[in-house]
Amino acid sequence: MIGIMDHKNKKYICIYGWGVILSSIYSQVVLAIGRKPDFICDSSPERWGKAFHGIKCIAPDELKKIAEEVTVYIAVKHYTPIGRFLDELGVTDIYNILYKREYNGVAAVKRPETSLIDSEPAILPLEGKWALVTGASRGIGREITLRLIKEKVNIIAHCRSLDHLDEIRSAALAEGVELECIAADLSNISELETMLVKLELLAPKIDIVYNNAGISTSYVIKELWNVPVDNFARSYMVNCIAPIKISNTLIPHMLKKGSGRIVNLSSSIFHRPEAMAYACSKAGLDKYVYDITPTLKNTGVVITQLDPGWLKTDMGGICAKQPVETVIPGALLGVVLNHDINGEWISAQDYSGMTLIDAAKKAEYLMNLNKIDEER
């Protein structure tokens, strides 16, 4: 919730962290905190002494001199290390500015989650459950599958060829979990329909679904206005239609049980028209989640969207920013958080490097699932 902040106990207001996000929504931030800041502070020396929107950017050493007189609003996405740094400077009045999906708006202004450090997040046990993972043999699907196996989850592993699942078989055998394998090319309607028949038989025991399998067709850079129809058709078939059909097959069975978790792999890709076929297909899947969410309210069945980030996979390429391993633990939050998080968008990179417990605590904070923090 956003409202007017009470600054009567402090002489100054400072926003920490000038960057692309803040510069694009500065007016929203000012509205959220109640008035213009007196200063901007940043960790980058090249910004010190410059003015942004008419507000001077000061160095952290200058901020330290007024530490007891200032309220600081952290405007960077990864706020935790900045919060620790401000503590070291002696700043005691700190808020985090939390952003909406894709960081194009202010979602909330909240106190740091220090009050949650000693709390236990509401986490569902995974051991003994059954999970379907599409595209389980490599990339993100492989990482998710191997982690689920470590959590003692039984696996239904999908890929285009059963020959690609030897590593998954070995991991399942080593951990003593059950494994069933399904092969299907999701771009082929006939093979998809055959797979759906098999899933109908397996449906009563499926607790978790990761609609992970996806394709990205070749980029069309020189002729953006002539993207081949087949690029769109194949992208929609694999990235949108197949996940929807799988979900629609399994959700009725989950509703009968009163429980179930579906995680659809999405993407935050934008402003890249050369990838429009892929981006549009993911947007179509997002719309499905958005529209079906009210139907699942209070049913025990939860559907969420996972943005894994730009990862070094066969699809992401060598220029990607993050190794594929960083999708964990964020990828698990959609199935372990014991809350009605229907429709939530989970960005895996928000939780990179964290334990599952700490990631769950942060997710509860970001999603406003724990109300013990002061909010405005």
Side-chain angles (χ1 to χ4, degrees):
M1 182 172 61
I2 302 172
I4 303 301
M5 310 301 294
D6 181 5
H7 308 110
K8 63 184 180 182
N9 295 323
K10 299 295 179 181
K11 185 176 180 180
Y12 303 108
I13 295 177
C14 179
I15 297 178
Y16 197 103
W18 186 264
V20 174
I21 299 173
L22 179 57
S23 64
S24 65
I25 60 169
Y26 175 75
S27 60
Q28 291 187 45
V29 170
V30 171
L31 180 63
I33 66 178
R35 71 171 176 85
K36 289 185 178 180
D38 299 288
F39 307 103
I40 291 169
C41 188
D42 196 88
S43 301
S44 300
E46 62 267 21
R47 295 192 174 105
W48 301 344
K50 295 182 179 179
F52 300 93
H53 287 273
I55 307 299
K56 181 183 177 182
C57 181
I58 63 175
D61 284 346
E62 295 181 69
L63 183 62
K64 184 177 181 179
K65 296 176 183 177
I66 57 172
E68 295 182 0
E69 302 177 275
V70 65
T71 298
V72 177
Y73 295 90
I74 301 174
V76 299
K77 179 186 169 191
H78 296 293
Y79 52 80
T80 302
I82 300 300
R84 295 195 189 103
F85 178 58
L86 292 175
D87 285 338
E88 294 173 0
L89 293 180
V91 178
T92 58
D93 198 28
I94 302 171
Y95 288 86
N96 293 327
I97 298 172
L98 307 181
Y99 298 103
K100 296 177 182 177
R101 174 182 164 186
E102 294 182 3
Y103 321 119
N104 57 0
V106 178
V109 179
K110 299 181 64 178
R111 291 287 189 185
E113 73 271 35
T114 52
S115 56
L116 297 177
I117 290 177
D118 296 324
S119 66
E120 286 298 320
I123 290 183
L124 294 169
L126 292 178
E127 185 173 352
K129 293 185 180 295
W130 277 89
L132 165 68
V133 184
T134 64
S137 64
R138 60 181 183 171
I140 296 169
R142 171 186 173 275
E143 289 298 320
I144 292 172
T145 302
L146 293 176
R147 179 55 184 264
L148 290 175
I149 288 173
K150 287 185 179 180
E151 298 288 337
K152 304 297 184 182
V153 176
N154 301 309
I155 300 294
I156 301 170
H158 157 269
C159 67
R160 283 182 291 182
S161 172
L162 297 181
D163 294 337
H164 299 161
L165 291 171
D166 289 345
E167 182 183 13
I168 302 301
R169 290 189 184 94
S170 297
L173 181 62
E175 293 292 339
V177 302
E178 296 184 58
L179 174 68
E180 298 201 27
C181 302
I182 297 177
D185 180 350
L186 298 184
S187 68
N188 184 301
I189 295 176
S190 177
E191 291 191 32
L192 172 61
E193 293 290 349
T194 299
M195 176 178 167
L196 295 176
V197 172
K198 294 177 182 178
L199 291 181
E200 279 281 3
L201 299 175
L202 296 170
K205 66 181 181 182
I206 295 177
D207 306 292
I208 298 165
V209 177
Y210 279 92
N211 280 314
N212 163 78
I215 62 169
S216 178
T217 54
S218 59
Y219 286 0
V220 180
I221 298 176
K222 294 182 179 179
E223 299 181 1
L224 296 177
W225 320 120
N226 294 309
V227 177
V229 171
D230 185 62
N231 282 19
F232 282 98
R234 292 180 60 238
S235 296
Y236 270 88
M237 188 65 207
V238 176
N239 301 339
C240 183
I241 295 173
I244 290 174
K245 292 293 291 181
I246 290 169
S247 299
N248 286 349
T249 297
L250 298 176
I251 286 176
H253 296 275
M254 292 179 170
L255 290 172
K256 289 180 182 178
K257 292 193 299 182
S259 65
R261 296 290 174 118
I262 296 177
V263 179
N264 285 332
L265 271 286
S266 189
S267 172
S268 58
I269 189 172
F270 63 101
H271 294 167
R272 293 176 64 186
E274 69 274 12
M276 66 176 69
Y278 173 79
C280 289
S281 67
K282 289 297 186 180
L285 185 59
D286 293 348
K287 186 64 164 65
Y288 169 79
V289 173
Y290 179 82
D291 286 349
I292 203 171
T293 291
T295 305
L296 301 178
K297 185 176 181 180
N298 299 322
T299 64
V301 180
V302 173
I303 189 167
T304 56
Q305 302 169 90
L306 175 67
D307 174 18
W310 188 14
L311 304 179
K312 296 181 186 296
T313 62
D314 290 344
M315 183 186 296
I318 60 174
C319 294
K321 296 182 178 180
Q322 303 293 340
V324 67
E325 294 82 7
T326 59
V327 75
I328 303 295
L332 298 184
L333 293 173
V335 300
V336 301
L337 288 176
N338 192 16
H339 300 275
D340 188 349
I341 55 172
N342 260 305
E344 286 286 352
W345 173 277
I346 299 171
S347 296
Q349 294 307 308
D350 286 347
Y351 310 95
S352 176
M354 304 180 75
T355 67
L356 181 58
I357 295 295
D358 287 343
K361 291 178 184 179
K362 183 176 181 179
E364 289 182 336
Y365 171 76
L366 291 178
M367 297 180 194
N368 293 316
L369 300 175
N370 193 314
K371 300 300 182 182
I372 66 175
D373 284 302
E374 179 185 352
E375 296 183 9
R376 290 293 188 270

